[in-house]
Amino acid sequence: MLFRELGKTGIRIPVIGQGTWKFGEDKGREQEEIEALRFGIANGLKLIDTAEEYANGGAEKVVGKAIQGIRKEVFLVTKVSARNCSYKGVLNSAEASLDRLKTGHIDLYLQHWPSDQYDLSETMGAMVELVNKGLVKYVGVSNFSIHLMERAQFHLGKVPLVCNQVGYHLNDRSIESDVLPFAKENGLTIMGYSPFGYAPGVFGMKGFPRVGSQERNVLESIGVKYNKTAHQVALNWVLRQEGLVSIPKASNKEHIIDNLNALNWELEKEDLEQIEFNFPFSGIS
């Protein structure tokens, strides 16, 4: 497994984690989801990302069951909803997440989205209290602009902002214009979600190239060279960025194995240039 430092903490986390969006929505799949998470952990994917919004806490409950007995092996990330970002709301949400996750602390706690209701001074003030109480180790944000990251750090004071979780994939490279360079310059980790594209209609962006499309053919032809799939090529491309880790969703063992096969090899310059040509950076989306 390849590791990268979380912010400037000295803590090293896997470059590929396990996302849990949609986990907990179907009770009939719960055992499969638990087994997938445990399989991933056993194979080095010890970073698990979840959120109170996923299945109204259901995903956290699945994660809580999956990590029982192996909590010390896991780097656990969860998120507070923007609607709960008042001072008391953050504290209450953290306590509820801890209960669902059946753990005494959260390794990395993120504000899920910027809030229109509550000022960052409230939210980050509560984050500081959680750190001081030992309930949260590290603080981050999700879907934040440079300006909001700067404001969050101001209100955190001496508690460092270590991470911004944002979408990043071949058809959404918008963070390359500002957020990613800022993070690199300031020692923040970028945690990229949806490395294979968003669900149809989400954010009005393209999903993963469909079979038979020119974009898919490019990825598949490159994959033949390395004996890899189009998805593995795409994930390897995402992970070329220093200071970035990725959290693809993987609800079964086959997906986890596929994700692991994106590691321990590098795309050659000519292949990176071909990807660049077919998936051009178009600035802020």
Side-chain angles (χ1 to χ4, degrees), residues 152-202:
Q153 182 59 79
F154 175 79
H155 291 299
L156 284 169
K158 293 182 180 180
V159 173
L161 183 74
V162 302
C163 173
N164 189 7
Q165 188 179 112
V166 291
Y168 185 55
H169 57 83
L170 285 165
N171 281 314
D172 183 3
R173 301 176 56 183
S174 57
I175 65 168
E176 292 179 23
S177 65
D178 51 6
V179 169
L180 184 58
F182 176 86
K184 289 181 177 180
E185 290 170 10
N186 290 275
L188 277 75
T189 293
I190 290 295
M191 191 172 288
Y193 62 77
S194 300
F196 305 125
Y198 308 124
V202 174

Side-chain angles (χ1 to χ4, degrees), residues 18-24 29-37 248-256 259:
Q18 300 188 76
T20 62
W21 184 53
K22 296 287 186 180
F23 277 42
R29 296 195 61 196
E30 182 178 283
Q31 191 56 40
E32 180 185 10
E33 291 167 348
I34 291 171
E35 289 175 2
L37 287 170
K249 177 188 171 187
S251 55
N252 60 58
K253 295 178 181 179
E254 289 72 22
H255 287 163
I256 290 168
N259 292 341

Side-chain angles (χ1 to χ4, degrees), residues 64-218:
K65 293 175 182 178
I67 65 175
Q68 286 303 294
I70 53 173
R71 172 65 182 95
K72 291 182 179 180
E73 298 180 30
V74 173
F75 188 89
L76 187 58
V77 184
T78 192
K79 300 179 280 290
V80 56
S81 171
R83 66 177 179 273
N84 294 329
C85 277
S86 67
Y87 189 89
K88 286 189 175 180
V90 173
L91 300 181
N92 290 339
S93 285
E95 291 283 2
S97 289
L98 287 165
D99 183 61
R100 287 188 290 266
L101 292 164
K102 300 186 185 302
T103 185
H105 74 277
I106 297 163
D107 293 302
L108 176 60
Y109 200 35
L110 310 178
Q111 179 174 343
H112 203 155
W113 287 92
S115 175
D116 294 330
Q117 295 175 274
Y118 305 109
D119 192 81
L120 273 171
S121 60
E122 278 196 74
T123 312
M124 295 302 136
M127 292 288 198
V128 171
E129 181 170 339
L130 290 168
V131 170
N132 289 338
K133 286 183 174 180
L135 300 178
V136 166
K137 286 191 174 181
Y138 304 107
V139 175
V141 292
S142 184
N143 304 299
F144 269 41
S145 65
I146 289 177
H147 173 65
L148 289 176
M149 284 190 282
E150 290 175 329
R151 285 190 57 212
Q153 182 59 79
F154 175 79
H155 291 299
L156 284 169
K158 293 182 180 180
V159 173
L161 183 74
V162 302
C163 173
N164 189 7
Q165 188 179 112
V166 291
Y168 185 55
H169 57 83
L170 285 165
N171 281 314
D172 183 3
R173 301 176 56 183
S174 57
I175 65 168
E176 292 179 23
S177 65
D178 51 6
V179 169
L180 184 58
F182 176 86
K184 289 181 177 180
E185 290 170 10
N186 290 275
L188 277 75
T189 293
I190 290 295
M191 191 172 288
Y193 62 77
S194 300
F196 305 125
Y198 308 124
V202 174
F203 306 136
M205 304 290 290
K206 294 181 181 179
F208 198 74
R210 68 184 185 281
V211 174
S213 67
Q214 178 182 341
E215 291 175 332
R216 183 64 169 262
N217 290 340
V218 166

